[in-house]
Amino acid sequence: MSVLLFLPVFSLGMVIGFELIAAGHGFIDLGYTLKTAWPRLFFKILIWTGLAASIALLAGPVYRTALAAGLAAAVVNHLGVFALNRFVLGRKRDFTDV
């Protein structure tokens, strides 16, 4: 497998991972209007999950690994930034931070 093809698939996995994380946060962000917003949030998660699954099914085994590594890297990045803000820097977000 060439690095020239591994990096774009890995990057695509990271983009899809971040979009899935953002769509998941939509349920928390739009909690006040969840009665009307849930179909849009649900279909957003469904579309990004379907895109990741279809790419994984169409790609070869090596590129499937690159996609999965990109998805995992997005989750690790997200959790790492949360841990850095919360535990290392001591910042707790609330509604007074503007």
Side-chain angles (χ1 to χ4, degrees):
M1 175 175 81
S2 70
V3 176
L4 293 176
L5 292 176
F6 181 84
L7 290 176
V9 176
F10 179 82
S11 300
L12 181 65
M14 284 195 70
V15 168
I16 292 172
F18 284 129
E19 289 294 334
L20 279 169
I21 291 169
H25 280 288
F27 284 103
I28 298 169
D29 293 341
L30 297 174
Y32 64 94
T33 182
L34 202 54
K35 288 182 182 179
T36 58
W38 76 265
R40 185 179 57 132
L41 296 172
F42 176 75
F43 286 116
K44 199 175 201 182
I45 291 174
L46 188 68
I47 287 170
W48 284 110
T49 305
L51 180 66
S54 63
I55 291 171
L57 288 174
L58 294 175
V62 176
Y63 299 112
R64 196 172 300 137
T65 305
L67 182 73
L71 289 167
V75 172
V76 168
N77 183 310
H78 182 70
L79 294 175
V81 168
F82 172 77
L84 179 72
N85 271 331
R86 185 70 183 251
F87 302 118
V88 176
L89 299 177
R91 295 181 185 166
K92 182 178 177 186
R93 292 190 63 191
D94 56 6
F95 292 111
T96 60
D97 295 342
V98 179

